[in-house]
Amino acid sequence: MAEAKDSIPIPMATAAAAAPRSSLSPPEFEMRLHVINRQKLVKSLQQHLADSNRPIQGIVLLQGGEEQNRYCTDHTELFRQESYFAYLFGVREPSFYGAVDVATGKSILFAPRLPAEYAVWLGQIKPISHFTERYKVDMVCYVDEMEEVLHSLYKGEDKSLLFLLHGLNTDSGNFSKPADFKGIENFKTDLSTLHPVLTECRVLKSKMELDIIQYANDISSEAHVEVMRNTNVGMKEYQLESLFLHHTYMYGGCRHCSYTCICATGDNSSVLHYGHAAAPNDRTFMDGDMALLDMGAEYYFYGSDITCSFPVNGKFTADQRLIYNAVLDAHNSVIAAMKPGVNWINMHKLAEKVILEALKKGNIITGDIQDMMALRLGAVFMPHGLGHLLGIDTHDPGGYPKGLERPKEPGLSSLRTARELKEDMVITVEPGCYFISALLIPAMESSETSRFFNADAIKRFVDFGGVRIESDVYVTSTGCKNMTNVPRETWEIEAVMAGAKWPIEKGLNHSQNGIANLHS
């Protein structure tokens, strides 16, 4: 590799010794995945039209994403394709359109006609044949030919029917953008049919999709372990973020992250979406802090979403162990109960119950667990939902299909899905336990819930922050499989932070002598 001109030379021996090693290499990506995705959509749409006694004809038309500049400047942000378009076509370039004939399955891409100066500043202008071969579509034309080409698919009809993507994302509250182009007024358009059918296609993952998500999990899990074993008291939170991003890009080929990294330590770990511009992972963490690191890499559009919590000094205190094991038991109980037909609301309640039972055993709360559940006390300690669908988007769509209402009770109202599990869903399992003053104080002052709290014990946790444990899980025909592979037991975390190899060799236990022999 050529050395950058402005870099500081590092002796090769030092560089080799300092560089973390990876057992992984980026897999080759097969564009056939998007052929399969288009076939899946055509089959589903044909079935939907037949069930509705409608003719099986029309053209699905999606508009890809556009490059965006930073406000009024000429600084172009790194482009990432719109997710529905990525799902069907896998196109990495901006300003494309894509069409699929519902009757025949024929696929067409429409590429922007680039100006000559593109070749000077941005590289070779690719011929149409390049995109036909690369993206495995039947035909590629230019965007300025779109009206004529689409009409040609249905010769003799006054106005061909276009199925456009328009529907609500129940996580963001935003609507997807229907395709628009010069001449669209000369077509009939349907804005209601496509979105629910295409969204449901994304909910259940194919074998090829699962393989990519598994790789994203593999490299992200490896990066989490690398961060864990390189964490030292006195570091900055952003240094942990940097280690993760470097590992997943340097060794995993992951240019994009699934979301903004959350690298929270101390009381920052009770800020559920820490890491944003106003809280930019910049605290210096101290001896005795817990770290909550929520980070996941994206590979060829498909993502991962993993959270690890651990003491920054490598040793759990009694209180840290109590809260951590409460969350771990909830995490493991949910995964053990998951299978097709299980309702996700019930899984959330199971996680709450396990955490409340542990807090009661630790004398942090007192009283009847069923009474606590009825009064939604679990939402004080875990205000977010248990998990969410995962795929091309971190919060993949489809959590609330038509007819499924979002619960309104505290905690449950934050669930990103209330569905029953189906085989080949990928969903995160991410219980947490947090000490958030904005929730604890009102609950401790409430006439309904004040009786449950041990005020003296709660005082110990004012600056504790929180613990979250998150794994990516896919539902099998009989149960589920955890796709994430990081240290979870407290003794595993302590061993890895002390220098042990991961995964820890089978047959070695967590006795003190065993841990001492684990070091690499």
Side-chain angles (χ1 to χ4, degrees):
M1 182 184 295
E3 185 180 288
K5 291 182 179 179
D6 296 329
S7 66
I8 299 173
I10 300 176
M12 289 304 295
T14 303
R21 292 169 294 179
S22 175
S23 62
L24 302 168
S25 58
E28 289 295 321
F29 177 75
E30 293 186 55
M31 200 56 63
R32 186 168 60 89
L33 166 64
H34 302 290
V35 177
I36 293 171
N37 288 349
R38 292 194 295 271
Q39 291 171 344
K40 184 178 182 181
L41 171 64
V42 168
K43 182 178 179 181
S44 297
L45 201 48
Q46 287 179 346
Q47 185 64 54
H48 175 81
L49 293 172
D51 291 344
S52 306
N53 294 316
R54 296 167 63 186
I56 299 176
Q57 62 181 31
I59 304 164
V60 169
L61 182 68
L62 267 66
Q63 182 174 353
E66 301 283 345
E67 278 187 327
Q68 300 293 325
N69 280 7
R70 182 183 291 174
Y71 304 114
C72 67
T73 74
D74 63 351
H75 172 87
T76 304
E77 304 285 0
L78 179 62
F79 176 72
R80 196 273 195 184
Q81 186 60 264
E82 192 278 326
S83 294
Y84 283 98
F85 197 82
Y87 176 80
L88 286 183
F89 297 102
V91 173
R92 64 184 181 186
E93 296 89 349
S95 303
F96 272 66
Y97 289 76
V100 181
D101 187 328
V102 175
T104 66
K106 183 177 182 179
S107 55
I108 308 171
L109 278 176
F110 297 95
R113 200 183 291 271
L114 300 173
E117 57 265 27
Y118 182 100
V120 177
W121 298 99
L122 296 170
Q124 179 187 3
I125 296 176
K126 303 292 196 305
I128 288 295
S129 58
H130 166 82
F131 299 111
T132 307
E133 175 59 28
R134 176 175 177 78
Y135 294 120
K136 307 301 180 190
V137 292
D138 296 299
M139 184 167 62
V140 178
C141 304
Y142 287 111
V143 170
D144 54 29
E145 302 170 323
M146 187 155 48
E147 182 181 1
E148 178 184 352
V149 171
L150 292 177
H151 274 309
S152 72
L153 293 178
Y154 284 92
K155 293 179 180 178
E157 290 204 11
D158 293 334
K159 285 189 175 183
S160 301
L161 174 63
L162 300 180
F163 292 105
L164 305 181
L165 188 70
H166 181 66
L168 178 67
N169 184 306
T170 57
D171 289 306
S172 67
N174 297 324
F175 284 83
S176 52
K177 176 187 174 183
D180 189 25
F181 63 95
K182 185 178 179 181
I184 194 171
E185 66 277 4
N186 297 318
F187 293 82
K188 292 183 290 186
T189 57
D190 180 319
L191 290 170
S192 62
T193 300
L194 178 60
H195 187 271
V197 175
L198 181 52
T199 296
E200 197 64 20
C201 288
R202 288 178 59 181
V203 169
L204 304 182
K205 306 302 190 285
S206 67
K207 173 64 166 59
M208 292 185 73
E209 289 179 294
L210 290 171
D211 287 345
I212 303 172
I213 296 171
Q214 183 63 68
Y215 173 73
N217 263 268
D218 290 343
I219 190 63
S220 296
S221 295
E222 190 178 78
H224 269 282
V225 173
E226 199 62 39
V227 171
M228 192 179 292
R229 60 164 47 109
N230 282 283
T231 297
N232 291 295
V233 172
M235 294 175 70
K236 291 281 192 180
E237 292 166 338
Y238 59 70
Q239 290 178 289
L240 306 184
E241 178 181 18
S242 178
L243 283 168
F244 180 86
L245 296 176
H246 171 72
H247 191 94
T248 55
Y249 197 1
M250 178 78 175
Y251 300 102
C254 299
R255 194 176 194 188
H256 290 274
C257 215
S258 297
Y259 50 92
T260 302
C261 292
I262 298 171
C263 294
T265 61
D267 59 359
N268 288 339
S269 57
S270 66
V271 180
L272 301 181
H273 285 168
Y274 184 75
H276 55 86
N281 294 333
D282 62 354
R283 178 177 178 272
T284 302
F285 47 84
M286 300 179 292
D287 194 13
D289 283 345
M290 281 290 288
L292 187 160
L293 306 185
D294 189 337
M295 305 181 289
E298 175 183 300
Y299 187 73
Y300 274 99
F301 302 120
Y302 288 85
S304 57
D305 187 356
I306 299 170
T307 306
C308 295
S309 296
F310 56 88
V312 300
N313 64 11
K315 292 289 183 181
F316 284 88
T317 66
D319 280 345
Q320 289 171 345
R321 193 179 301 273
L322 167 63
I323 303 305
Y324 183 88
N325 281 333
V327 177
L328 181 62
D329 288 347
H331 168 274
N332 293 346
S333 296
V334 168
I335 290 177
M338 287 173 61
K339 61 182 179 180
V342 168
N343 184 271
W344 197 240
I345 296 177
N346 292 337
M347 292 296 93
H348 180 97
K349 289 180 177 179
L350 171 61
E352 283 184 329
K353 184 171 183 287
V354 171
I355 291 170
L356 289 174
E357 287 172 341
L359 295 180
K360 180 179 177 180
K361 188 175 181 180
N363 201 33
I364 296 171
I365 56 176
T366 183
D368 183 79
I369 297 294
Q370 292 305 319
D371 289 346
M372 297 179 196
M373 293 289 290
L375 291 170
R376 302 298 310 130
L377 195 75
V380 175
F381 295 99
M382 187 173 78
H384 61 73
L386 175 64
H388 51 81
L389 299 174
L390 175 74
I392 287 184
D393 289 311
T394 308
H395 300 151
D396 233 21
Y400 287 96
K402 186 177 179 180
L404 184 62
E405 296 294 323
R406 184 185 292 272
K408 294 180 172 56
E409 300 93 331
L412 301 180
S413 62
S414 296
L415 279 167
R416 296 185 184 274
T417 185
R419 296 180 65 140
E420 290 187 353
L421 298 179
K422 291 183 178 181
E423 183 179 358
D424 295 329
M425 278 182 174
V426 176
I427 194 164
T428 66
V429 176
E430 50 178 307
C433 181
Y434 314 87
F435 294 85
I436 304 171
S437 296
L439 296 176
L440 276 170
I441 293 173
M444 293 175 71
E445 293 177 347
S446 166
S447 59
E448 285 191 319
T449 56
S450 60
R451 69 183 188 274
F452 296 123
F453 295 93
N454 181 337
D456 290 335
I458 293 289
K459 288 177 183 176
R460 298 203 317 268
F461 293 89
V462 169
D463 298 319
F464 181 90
V467 167
R468 180 162 66 252
I469 298 173
E470 180 179 18
S471 298
D472 302 340
V473 179
Y474 86 80
V475 183
T476 66
S477 60
T478 57
C480 67
K481 179 190 175 187
N482 190 346
M483 307 175 86
T484 302
N485 181 21
V486 294
R488 288 306 193 196
E489 299 291 339
T490 55
W491 70 268
E492 292 175 331
I493 291 169
E494 289 180 347
V496 166
M497 293 188 74
K501 293 179 180 179
W502 180 258
I504 292 172
E505 296 174 18
K506 289 183 177 179
L508 293 173
N509 60 39
H510 57 278
S511 67
Q512 191 62 40
N513 290 337
I515 291 177
N517 293 326
L518 292 174
H519 292 208
S520 54

